Amino acid sequence: MELIDGKKISEAIKAEIAAEVAKMKDAGEKVPHLAAILVGEDPASQTYVNSKAKACQEVGFDSSTYRFSEDITEEKLLETVDFINNDPEIDGLIVQLPLPKHINNQKVIERILPEKDVDGFHPVNVGRMTIGLPAYVSATPFGVIQLIERSGIKTTGMNCVVLGRSNIVGKPMSILMARNAEPGNATVTVCHSKTKNLKEITAQADILIVAIGQPEFVTADMVKEDAVVIDVGIHRVPSDKTKSGFRLIGDVKYDEVSKKTSHITPVPGGVGPMTIVSLLMNTLKAAKKEIYA
Ligand code: NDP
C-alpha cells in the first residue's frame, strides 16, 4: 500500500507557486491578490479564512478579508461583491459559505465575476469545466486531480466510482474523471443516497473517490483488491488519546481499507491540505489571466 501524502504534495506545489510569485515580483509585476468575505462568527469559517490568508502569505500573495456581522443585509453584501469585482488590485474573490439564512447563497455566488471566481462555484465556471473549456475548477476536486497526477496514478480506461454527488465535490469530481484528458478518461459511476446495491458497485472500482459525509462509511468489503481510494471526508470525533480531546477521521475506515488498496489518502494529511493549495493555484491563474484572457 502506498500512502498518497497530501501534505508533502501540497508543500511542493506551494514552493512552485512561491517561486512563480518571486519571478513576477522580479519582473516588476503586481503579485496575486486574494480577497475573502467572511460573515458572522462561525469558528470553522473563521479558521478556514485565517488559514487561507496564512497560505497566501506563505507564497507571497497579497490577501484581504472583508468581515461582516451576522446581520449584514443581502444588499450590502452584494454591494461589497460589486466593489471587489471592480477593484483591479484584486484577482480572486471567495465568499466563505455558509452564509446566514436571510442571504441567498446562490445569488451571492452568481454576483462574483466569473473571472474572479477562484472557488469555481459560479455557473459559468461550472459550465465551462463541464464542456472542457478553461475554467476555475472548485478547489477540492481540483486538489484530488492534482493528488492523482502527482502520485503517478493512471486513470485512462479505469473504472472510477464517485461516492457522493454534491455540487462542490462529487459532481465536479465525476466530470473531471470522465473528461478527455489524463487524469480523466475513466469510466465513471456516480453513487448517492438513492443508489441500490452500493457495495456491489464500489467493489468494481479501480479508483474509488469518497465524499459522502458519513464517518468511516466505506469498509474493506466495499473495496476491490489493489484499488486506489481517495477519502474526501473530514469528521471531528472525540478521542481520549489526543491532547485536544478530538481526532479527525474520514468517510473511509482507514485501518481495514488501507490493507487492500494500492494507494490511499489518509485523514488528516490527504485531500485536506490540497484544497487551499488549489485555491492558490486558481488565484495565480487569475492574476496571470490564464483562464479568461
Ligand atoms: P454533502 O453532504 O453535500 O453530499 C454528500 C453526498 O453523499 C450526497 O450526494 C448524498 O446523496 C451522498 N450520501 C450521503 N449518505 C449516503 C449514503 N448512505 N449512501 C450513499 N450516498 C450517500 O457533502 P460534501 O460533498 O460537501 O462533503 C462530503 C465530505 O467531504 C464531508 O465529510 C465534508 O466534510 C468533506 N469535505 C472535505 C473537504 C476537504 O477539503 N477535504 C472539502 C469539502 C468537503 P444525496 O445527494 O442523495 O443526498
Side-chain angles (χ1 to χ4, degrees):
M1 183 273 291
E2 210 173 298
L3 197 73
I4 302 177
D5 189 340
K7 198 157 171 17
K8 197 166 149 196
I9 294 172
S10 68
E11 290 303 331
I13 297 176
K14 267 197 219 162
E16 291 166 18
I17 297 174
E20 195 60 40
V21 175
K23 266 198 229 156
M24 291 169 89
K25 257 190 188 163
D26 287 349
E29 293 167 29
K30 183 184 96 57
V31 299
H33 187 155
L34 175 68
I37 294 181
L38 173 62
V39 180
E41 304 293 325
D42 175 53
S45 294
Q46 304 229 13
T47 306
Y48 288 136
V49 168
N50 290 342
S51 39
K52 284 165 191 172
K54 188 169 159 265
C56 282
Q57 202 182 6
E58 276 171 40
V59 297
F61 287 5
D62 285 336
S63 73
S64 37
T65 306
Y66 293 75
R67 293 172 195 270
F68 296 100
S69 62
E70 191 86 14
D71 58 2
I72 184 177
T73 62
E74 186 178 277
E75 199 189 348
K76 171 82 182 138
L77 193 60
L78 292 172
E79 270 172 24
T80 308
V81 171
D82 290 342
F83 176 78
I84 298 171
N85 279 342
N86 291 322
D87 183 345
E89 284 302 308
I90 297 177
D91 303 295
L93 166 62
I94 55 167
V95 177
Q96 186 63 43
L97 301 176
L99 293 168
K101 289 207 169 52
H102 66 278
I103 296 174
N104 181 335
N105 281 4
Q106 196 58 27
K107 202 167 168 184
V108 175
I109 288 170
E110 292 189 27
R111 193 70 161 245
I112 301 172
L113 277 179
E115 292 87 333
K116 295 197 178 187
D117 166 45
V118 286
D119 255 340
F121 293 160
H122 193 291
V124 167
N125 279 314
V126 178
R128 288 175 64 104
M129 178 207 57
T130 304
I131 61 172
L133 288 174
Y136 297 114
V137 178
S138 68
T140 303
F142 186 44
V144 171
I145 291 291
Q146 293 296 315
L147 281 182
I148 290 173
E149 189 168 22
R150 288 180 182 242
S151 303
I153 295 163
K154 296 289 171 229
T155 61
T156 294
M158 297 291 166
N159 268 337
C160 173
V161 174
V162 179
L163 209 43
R165 59 174 168 186
S166 71
N167 285 342
I168 63 162
V169 190
K171 212 172 281 170
M173 199 68 252
S174 64
I175 291 162
L176 291 169
M177 291 303 286
R179 70 188 171 157
N180 187 0
E182 175 71 52
N185 280 326
T187 305
V188 179
T189 307
V190 182
C191 298
H192 44 76
S193 66
K194 311 292 186 301
T195 298
K196 286 184 186 157
N197 304 325
L198 188 68
K199 196 191 287 188
E200 282 75 9
I201 299 169
T202 57
Q204 301 289 319
D206 302 308
I207 302 167
L208 178 61
I209 303 176
V210 188
I212 67 167
Q214 308 277 348
E216 298 188 330
F217 180 91
V218 172
T219 46
D221 57 332
M222 297 171 74
V223 176
K224 183 175 161 178
E225 201 71 49
D226 287 331
V228 172
V229 174
I230 309 284
D231 186 356
V232 180
I234 308 180
H235 311 274
R236 217 171 120 129
V237 293
S239 168
D240 51 19
K241 294 196 181 73
T242 61
K243 243 200 236 162
S244 60
F246 71 86
R247 67 189 177 100
L248 296 177
I249 59 170
D251 286 346
V252 174
K253 205 161 195 177
Y254 182 86
D255 289 348
E256 59 178 64
V257 171
S258 59
K259 293 194 181 97
K260 283 183 90 174
T261 54
S262 71
H263 296 76
I264 187 165
T265 57
V267 178
V271 175
M274 295 301 293
T275 299
I276 289 183
V277 159
S278 303
L279 186 65
L280 297 176
M281 289 173 88
N282 279 347
T283 306
L284 181 61
K285 285 182 191 157
K288 297 179 120 203
K289 311 248 179 302
E290 279 180 11
I291 306 285
Y292 296 90

